[in-house]
Amino acid sequence: MKVITGLQPSGDLHIGNYFGSIKQMLNMQEENQMYMFIANYHAMTSNQNGEVLQQNSLKAAAAFLSLGIDPQKSIFWLQSDIKEVLELYWILSQFTPMGLLERAHSYKDKIAKGLNSSHGLFSYPVLMAADILLFDAQIVPVGKDQIQHVEIARDIALKVNNEWGEVFTLPKAKINEEVAVVLGTDGSKMSKSYKNTIDIFTSQKVLKKQISSIVTDSIALEDPKEFSTCNIYNIAKLFLDKTQQENLQERYKKGGEGYGHFKLYLNDLINDHFAYAKNEYENLIANPSKIKEILEFGAQKARKTAQKTMEKIYAKIGL
């Protein structure tokens, strides 16, 4: 099965990125043909500072690799190293009805959260469609909030295929229902845009501050507490098996512990889970030439597939 996914280099990765996307990739790369990229073109919708974007791209690549992405098993590259994606983006734009983009809820949500309105932000789903269709991806692992983008890619592919024949594979979204949306410190979807993340590769001081900011109610320390609506529990359970979740639930029901105790417990869970990855990350960040070498190795393989797809498109459109 051919699977594709990308992640914006919008700063330090957070646990929402990990459980909502990266963990799926790690599980799938053993038995699938995985295409994975750092989506630096997409990141330009919220960041036009070249120095910051370049640094964030290297950090994102280091994070992917340290968390377990294997460049020998998966094709792993920097989006901007495959120029064909922008060419296909423009061609697909000719098959994209305005109404299709106007119905995209992600654009409306981002504008509501304060991002500047721009053509790039509005046409974001078309670029995502180009990412997917350029590599004939069959499966796209996404969170629930990204399902519509995969559906848009599928709609565009259908329009092209109706016009030109079977040019594109029709992609399908793959959702991990249990962690499709990871909640942030304020109880809404974890996102850099919302400033409610818990970062993976940050310092101990910052991690503690982020966990301390998790919003809770004001129930007294000695009283029983409701775990199912607690932001701390809903984050902690991502790291726990069924028995461990049940044990934590009992602690909530019993009372005698405050939310500060549960925040310390969550801090330990996160540190233990990512200890090895943090060490690998620090080694890669100290050697940026190694990161660039790995990305170019992946780009060379990705470029071959992209060029084959574009040759079919050229023949149809007359370029």
Side-chain angles (χ1 to χ4, degrees):
M1 194 72 70
K2 188 178 286 189
V3 182
I4 193 165
T5 191
L7 185 69
Q8 283 198 36
S10 54
D12 293 332
L13 291 185
H14 53 74
I15 62 174
N17 300 137
Y18 179 75
F19 287 104
S21 177
I22 299 172
K23 195 168 185 289
Q24 292 186 59
M25 291 184 249
L26 298 177
N27 294 336
M28 295 179 75
Q29 72 175 345
E30 299 299 326
E31 299 179 359
N32 299 277
Q33 186 176 4
M34 294 293 295
Y35 286 75
M36 290 176 280
F37 62 93
I38 306 299
N40 56 341
Y41 281 143
H42 286 292
M44 292 174 67
T45 60
S46 58
N47 174 34
Q48 294 84 45
N49 184 310
E51 184 177 348
V52 171
L53 182 59
Q54 184 178 52
Q55 185 61 33
N56 283 350
S57 297
L58 287 175
K59 288 169 66 177
F64 266 92
L65 293 166
S66 65
L67 288 167
I69 298 304
D70 187 340
Q72 298 298 327
K73 296 177 180 178
S74 302
I75 299 176
F76 180 57
W77 75 97
L78 186 65
Q79 186 183 28
S80 61
D81 285 342
I82 309 298
K83 303 302 182 184
E84 290 84 356
V85 71
L86 289 184
E87 190 172 12
L88 182 57
Y89 160 69
W90 178 247
I91 294 170
L92 294 181
S93 295
Q94 317 315 312
F95 292 87
T96 307
M98 287 293 292
L100 187 64
L101 298 181
E102 288 168 348
R103 291 191 294 273
H105 54 69
S106 177
Y107 173 77
K108 298 172 185 176
D109 291 345
K110 288 177 179 177
I111 295 301
K113 289 293 184 179
L115 287 182
N116 293 327
S117 175
S118 68
H119 173 264
L121 190 61
F122 183 71
S123 63
Y124 182 107
V126 186
L127 181 56
M128 184 170 170
D131 291 320
I132 296 167
L133 301 178
L134 187 61
F135 299 99
D136 289 326
Q138 298 163 288
I139 300 296
V140 188
V142 292
K144 284 184 177 179
D145 60 318
Q146 288 282 316
I147 293 175
Q148 189 184 39
H149 284 168
V150 180
E151 292 173 346
I152 289 173
R154 188 180 178 90
D155 288 343
I156 296 172
L158 280 168
K159 288 184 70 67
V160 173
N161 288 353
N162 288 337
E163 180 73 20
W164 288 340
E166 298 302 312
V167 175
F168 292 126
T169 298
L170 300 182
K172 293 182 180 180
K174 177 179 174 59
I175 312 298
N176 185 336
E177 292 291 346
E178 294 183 1
V179 293
V181 175
V182 177
L183 300 181
T185 56
D186 60 355
S188 61
K189 177 181 179 290
M190 188 173 290
S191 170
K192 284 286 182 185
S193 301
Y194 305 158
K195 297 181 171 59
N196 65 353
T197 63
I198 296 176
D199 297 332
I200 297 173
F201 298 105
T202 191
S203 67
Q204 289 296 319
K205 182 178 179 180
V206 172
L207 177 63
K208 184 177 180 180
K209 182 177 180 181
Q210 289 175 335
I211 293 174
S212 296
S213 72
I214 295 175
V215 176
T216 61
D217 56 38
S218 56
I219 295 176
L221 182 148
E222 64 272 12
D223 293 335
K225 297 165 183 65
E226 177 54 54
F227 64 86
S228 65
T229 57
C230 177
N231 294 330
I232 305 169
Y233 174 82
N234 284 320
I235 296 171
K237 71 179 182 180
L238 299 170
F239 298 89
L240 305 175
D241 60 29
K242 184 177 179 180
T243 299
Q244 291 169 325
Q245 288 182 31
E246 291 172 349
N247 290 338
L248 183 56
Q249 291 169 17
E250 289 303 315
R251 289 173 60 183
Y252 271 80
K253 295 174 184 177
K254 184 178 180 181
E257 291 185 274
Y259 291 115
H261 295 95
F262 295 127
K263 288 178 179 180
L264 288 173
Y265 174 68
L266 177 60
N267 191 89
D268 290 341
L269 283 178
I270 293 173
N271 277 326
D272 291 345
H273 190 88
F274 294 114
Y276 176 80
K278 285 184 176 182
N279 184 63
E280 291 295 303
Y281 177 78
E282 290 174 3
N283 291 337
L284 283 168
I285 288 296
N287 190 4
S289 61
K290 179 64 175 178
I291 302 173
K292 293 177 182 178
E293 179 184 327
I294 293 171
L295 290 172
E296 177 53 30
F297 173 70
Q300 289 176 7
K301 293 190 287 185
R303 199 172 292 120
K304 292 179 181 178
T305 301
Q307 289 171 349
K308 288 180 180 179
T309 299
M310 292 310 299
E311 285 172 5
K312 294 191 296 183
I313 300 296
Y314 295 150
K316 297 292 185 180
I317 206 166
L319 295 178

